[in-house]
């Protein structure tokens, strides 16, 4: 991602501050009459001047200033936070003025306010920051899988395209099962688990400020009821793209000078400020016919934001098209998150071998271990085209061990360092998977032809080969460059069929084409052997203290003609997925140790910090209140608690989903890092996997970090010169990979949210059971179990005679009294408390791509009738 030049002033969430209200459309960047003007007629500054670099450096050294990444609450955009360096409660930044023109994701420096201006947290309310301030900071390794595989055009005779979830490297490195969990109106929202948040506006559009600034003597308050508050004094790095999708409006005051020069751009993401754009950037007839553009989505880029202006100044980059349609909305999402989706330049394409099909040069073959006669195969989603990894497994002569290989596409062979191709791949850093397509990191000829381990074609690979006992004990390990010829391309369904038919052969008609060199039986036996070993490896991993937080994830069925979603279902993660995952994890761990031993100062590794302590202790307290015996002392202890606590009945499984969702909130993101940039080796650890060293090696087609690791491994094995790059430069590359990975993750979540909103609009209303995960005084949050989305239900949106909030012991509770549906009926009472199982209906709102949840009247049966209104419900999709 190319960040805007740091000389440009950054923006902030849409115009909400003590100076201008959220709807101050006509306000100019300093025209609040005499209030904003000094005696000399100069505009008075709204924002503070940033501190100098020298003063910031000194303040950080002395500990008077704190650095961190700014998070703006997507649902209450006047609230922002940065993590506390000590892992305690986040530091609160109240309002746009205190945010000082920083945008979501920026690396900022803050100064704490005097204690009398700290935030008062009401004893019964949870941490404010848990209410929507987090957009899924779930590290992928905690999850089973996630990158949604692009839809390919499918067979022409197929009515639909099924979009499958795709393993990001087939490893659940961060313990989080699936990240498509709790999407709310286009933003991932992790709502607070504890409950009464002060006076909440019951209006369906949002909430009022739910915790008051200090109005009484703070010395009389217990320490835990205060939250440190701060203001931004410097922006270290503008990580936000400074681009936004949104709508054009005329300024309200037609007589002002500004009206003749500027239009107002109103971003869809309320965390971005409103922006003045020159009328010369706008369509020619915009001023005379503004209503013609009311539903047109535009992209605007912030170019400046002065200290004396409530709003930023911007440049209207382009018109995207009709709001609410999938492609314009998708382009808006990609632009906002700085994803480069342009075509690759001719200079980049010239770096590829010219003239396909390409054949491996004989001199290259002679340098590699030849595995082309071995039974090697791939297991991927059925629609996958970029096949990074292949597996092999053959019993050894003594019958007590197996030779197991993980073979990864040798992408670094085709990407020369410092070439134009290398530079663009480093800048993109990751492929970005949307529901309907992928934005590739590398040109398609590389992704889908040259590097992809397509069957019955000689391919260059980098392999890790072990001698393993049937129990998964490693007897021997080998790393090296190889050449393979995959005998078949199995889908997860194919592999699952083989696993489920251990004694009978799977009918040939149900399997893909296979090389004549190897029989179906040979492949079947290899899959069964790998499955048995993977089960042992998995059992050992969890007994050694690994954690996994599987969350509900959506997969879509798309209409073949229109590309619109026909239906969706929760993705099922099965033994074939787990098989691939275990061997990818094993390879990544093996390579991490190899490169760290060879280059202790220059290894690119991946660490996962432990959860945020304050949020974890809040969750522990909540579980105690709810009578749930959870052990949060370690990743393994938490995993055991989640595994043992719940039965297999519907209610228990739903409760486990809700608790898993809550446990994901304190988790931090896993990060790439250079080993020489961290002094304390304890910080290298991976919390979720509970291992000392980890890296990413197994997905070089779609992650640049893996290409860097391949180069390090090649140097460690003597294939090339040791790396000349300094630890600081390597850390900078690692930081960029982290930034782009996070952006990619957000884009993926928003793409899923977009498609689900379209589905509700096209096929809704949709019914589902839901479980309550938070109770407030005029609303409650639910996890919608059929779709894995989280929604807030407002009491004033329901036909209630009355509602009453109370605490029963320490548990919050809402008593709903429903209006009777007929004159003969009595009012129906319903108690809403955490873990209540309820029926909800999701329905489209009039606003483009907004949908709301309402509670089904407890006296109503089958609002939607017997037919399944959600479209085709395919149960058999798999992930990579």
């Amino acid at each position: 991602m190319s960040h805007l030049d740091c000389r440009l002033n950054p923006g902030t969430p849409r115009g909400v501050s003590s100076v201008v209200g959220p709807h101050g459309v006509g306000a100019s960047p300093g025209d609040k009459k005499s209030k904003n003007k000094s005696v000399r007629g100069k505009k008075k500054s709204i924002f503070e001047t940033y501190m100098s670099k020298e003063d910031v450096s000194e303040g950080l050294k002395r500990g008077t200033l704190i650095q961190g990444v700014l998070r703006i609450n997507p649902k209450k955009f006047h609230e922002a936070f940065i993590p506390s360096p000590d892992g305690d409660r986040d530091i609160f930044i109240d309002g746009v003025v205190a945010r000082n023109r920083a945008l979501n994701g920026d690396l900022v420096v803050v100064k704490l306010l005097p204690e009398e201006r700290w935030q008062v947290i009401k004893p019964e309310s949870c941490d404010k920051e848990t209410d929507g301030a987090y957009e899924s900071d779930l590290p992928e390794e905690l999850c089973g899988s996630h990158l949604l595989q692009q839809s390919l055009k499918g067979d022409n005779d197929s009515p639909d395209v099924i979009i499958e979830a795709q393993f990001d490297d087939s490893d659940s490195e961060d313990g989080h099962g699936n990240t498509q969990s709790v999407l709310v109106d286009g933003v991932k929202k992790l709502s607070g688990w504890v409950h009464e948040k002060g006076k909440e506006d019951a209006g369906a559009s949002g909430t009022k400020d739910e915790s008051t600034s200090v109005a009484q003597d703070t010395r009389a308050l217990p320490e835990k009821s205060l939250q440190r508050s701060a203001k931004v004094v410097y922006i270290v790095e503008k990580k936000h793209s400074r681009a936004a999708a949104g709508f054009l409006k005329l300024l309200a005051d037609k007589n002002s000078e500004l009206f003749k020069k500027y239009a107002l751009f109103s971003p869809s993401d309320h965390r971005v400020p409103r922006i003045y754009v020159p009328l010369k950037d706008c369509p020619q007839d915009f001023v005379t016919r503004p209503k013609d553009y009311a539903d047109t989505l535009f992209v605007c880029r912030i170019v400046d934001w002065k200290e004396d202006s409530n709003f930023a100044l911007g440049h209207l980059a382009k018109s995207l098209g009709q709001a609410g349609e999938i492609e314009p909305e998708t382009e808006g999402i990609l632009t906002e998150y700085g994803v480069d989706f342009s075509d690759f330049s001719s200079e980049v394409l010239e770096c590829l071998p010219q003239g396909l099909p390409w054949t491996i040069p004989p001199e290259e073959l002679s340098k590699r271990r030849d595995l082309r006669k071995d039974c090697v195969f791939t297991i991927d989603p059925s629609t996958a085209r970029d096949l990074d990894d292949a597996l092999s497994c053959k019993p050894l002569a003594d019958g007590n061990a197996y030779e197991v290989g993980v073979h990864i596409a040798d992408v670094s062979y085709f990407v020369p360092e410092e070439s134009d191709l290398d530079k663009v791949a480093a800048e993109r850093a990751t492929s970005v998977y949307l529901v309907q397509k992928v934005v590739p990191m590398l040109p398609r000829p590389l992704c889908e032809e040259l590097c992809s381990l397509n069957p019955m074609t000689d391919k260059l690979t980098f392999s890790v080969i072990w001698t393993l006992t049937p129990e998964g004990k490693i007897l021997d390990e080998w790393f090296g460059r190889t050449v393979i010829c995959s005998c078949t391309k199995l889908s997860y369904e194919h592999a699952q069929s083989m696993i489920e038919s251990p004694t009978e052969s799977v009918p040939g008609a149900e399997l893909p084409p296979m090389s004549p060199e190897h029989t179906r039986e040979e492949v079947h036996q290899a899959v069964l052997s790998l499955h048995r070993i993977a089960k042992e490896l998995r059992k050992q991993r969890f007994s050694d203290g690994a954690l996994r937080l599987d969350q509900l994830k959506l997969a879509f069925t798309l209409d073949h003609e229109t590309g619109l979603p026909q239906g969706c279902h929760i993705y099922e993660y099965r033994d074939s997925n787990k098989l691939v995952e275990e061997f990818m994890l094993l390879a990544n761990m093996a390579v991490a140790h190899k490169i760290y031993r060879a280059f202790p100062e220059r290894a690119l590794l991946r660490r996962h910090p432990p959860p945020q302590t304050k949020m974890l202790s809040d969750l522990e307290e909540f579980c105690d209140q709810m009578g749930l015996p959870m052990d949060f002392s370690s990743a393994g202890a938490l995993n055991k608690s989640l595994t043992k606590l719940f039965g297999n009945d519907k209610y228990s499984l739903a409760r486990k989903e809700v608790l898993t969702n809550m446990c994901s909130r304190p988790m931090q993101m896993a990060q790439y890092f250079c080993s020489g940039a961290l002094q304390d080796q304890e910080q290298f650890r991976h919390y979720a996997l509970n291992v000392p060293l980890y890296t990413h090696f197994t997905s070089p087609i779609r992650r640049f970090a893996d290409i860097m690791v391949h180069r390090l491994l090649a140097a460690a094995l003597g294939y090339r010169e040791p790396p000349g790059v300094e630890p600081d430069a390597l850390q900078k590359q690692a930081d960029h990979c982290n930034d782009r990975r996070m952006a990619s993750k957000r884009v993926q979540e928003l793409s899923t949210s977009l498609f689900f909103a379209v589905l509700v609009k096209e096929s809704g209303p949709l019914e589902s059971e839901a479980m309550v995960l938070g109770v407030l005084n005029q609303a409650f949050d639910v996890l919608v179990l059929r779709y894995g989305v989280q929604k807030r239900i407002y009491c004033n949106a329901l036909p209630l005679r009355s509602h009453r909030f109370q605490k029963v012991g320490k548990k919050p509770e809402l008593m709903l009294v429903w209006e009777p549906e007929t004159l003969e009926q009595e009012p129906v009472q319903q108690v809403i408390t955490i873990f209540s199982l309820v029926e909800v209906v999701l329905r489209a709102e009039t606003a483009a791509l907004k949908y709301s949840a309402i509670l089904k009247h407890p006296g109503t049966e089958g609002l939607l009738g017997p037919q399944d209104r959600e479209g085709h419900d395919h149960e058999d999709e798999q992930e990579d």
Side-chain angles (χ1 to χ4, degrees), residues 10-49:
T12 72
R14 179 158 82 189
V16 177
S17 74
S18 56
V19 180
V20 59
H23 305 295
V25 176
S28 80
D31 67 353
K32 296 301 282 181
K33 304 285 188 298
S34 59
K35 179 176 169 185
N36 275 359
K37 296 195 178 177
S38 68
V39 179
R40 296 183 183 175
K42 282 182 74 180
K43 291 177 183 175
K44 182 181 175 185
S45 288
I46 293 163
F47 300 105
E48 286 189 14
T49 304

Side-chain angles (χ1 to χ4, degrees), residues 9-20 28-30 36 43-51 93-103 231-235 273-274 304-313:
N9 277 340
T12 72
R14 179 158 82 189
V16 177
S17 74
S18 56
V19 180
V20 59
S28 80
N36 275 359
K43 291 177 183 175
K44 182 181 175 185
S45 288
I46 293 163
F47 300 105
E48 286 189 14
T49 304
Y50 296 126
M51 289 175 71
I93 298 157
D94 189 11
V96 171
V97 172
R99 209 147 63 231
N100 202 0
R101 297 163 286 161
L103 290 188
K231 63 182 181 181
V232 173
V233 295
Y234 190 74
I235 299 175
R274 293 188 176 188
D304 200 359
W305 195 352
K306 307 265 185 218
E307 288 171 15
D308 60 7
S309 175
N310 293 308
F311 299 158
L313 288 171

Side-chain angles (χ1 to χ4, degrees), residues 22 61 65 72 81 194 208 227 273 305 308 385 451 462 530 622 651 696 780 798 807:
K61 276 181 203 159
L65 301 178
I72 301 170
F81 307 88
V194 199
K208 289 181 185 170
Q227 180 170 17
W305 195 352
D308 60 7
R385 285 182 173 175
C451 295
F462 221 143
L530 287 169
F622 163 76
Y651 179 76
H696 272 169
F780 54 97
L798 304 174
K807 288 275 183 114

